[in-house]
Amino acid sequence: KSGIDVSLSSFAGTETPTEEEWNKEFSRVIESIASPSGGANLFSAEFSSVPSTKRLAEWIATKWAPAILRSYDIAGTRVGARAVYALQTDDNTVEIVWQELVDFKSVTSGRM
């Protein structure tokens, strides 16, 4: 189909996709774009099921995020926002709060 723009990002992984797998993915993208909704899911992968998203969210907010955020040298970031803490907003959702210094005051600049 003419007029389709595709942006491709490649990240290191444990397995290299075969040419057949790439062709299958690109065919799926073209079909999806041509559908009435026009939306495209460029990549989908199944890993394993999460038996309890609530427990996963709690672990991310209370164990993983604090350990990872402590490992960053955020004090050395002089300009721009930095991830400061994670907040569990409900049973299944965790937000990472980004802040920056504005006139020597911490200001929340975003949430992810």
Side-chain angles (χ1 to χ4, degrees):
K1 181 176 176 180
S2 64
I4 294 177
D5 292 325
V6 175
S7 176
L8 176 66
S9 296
S10 180
F11 301 96
T14 57
E15 296 179 20
T16 303
T18 65
E19 187 169 337
E20 182 181 327
E21 289 170 326
W22 278 117
N23 290 336
K24 182 180 173 185
E25 286 299 312
F26 280 118
S27 294
R28 191 176 55 77
V29 168
I30 290 169
E31 287 175 24
S32 181
I33 290 172
S35 75
S37 65
N41 178 5
L42 295 180
F43 179 75
S44 177
E46 277 193 39
F47 297 97
S48 67
S49 66
V50 176
S52 172
T53 53
K54 179 181 178 184
R55 285 182 53 206
L56 176 62
E58 287 172 357
W59 176 79
I60 289 171
T62 62
K63 305 286 188 219
W64 180 83
I68 294 301
L69 294 176
R70 274 194 305 271
S71 72
Y72 291 135
D73 184 17
I74 62 173
T77 305
R78 298 176 141 215
V79 177
R82 62 199 59 90
V84 180
Y85 64 92
L87 176 66
Q88 187 172 0
T89 57
D90 65 40
D91 282 350
N92 301 312
T93 306
V94 176
E95 288 183 347
I96 298 174
V97 179
W98 291 71
Q99 294 181 342
E100 60 186 317
L101 284 176
V102 177
D103 297 325
F104 296 99
K105 294 179 185 171
S106 292
V107 176
T108 298
S109 56
R111 295 172 188 275
M112 179 170 47

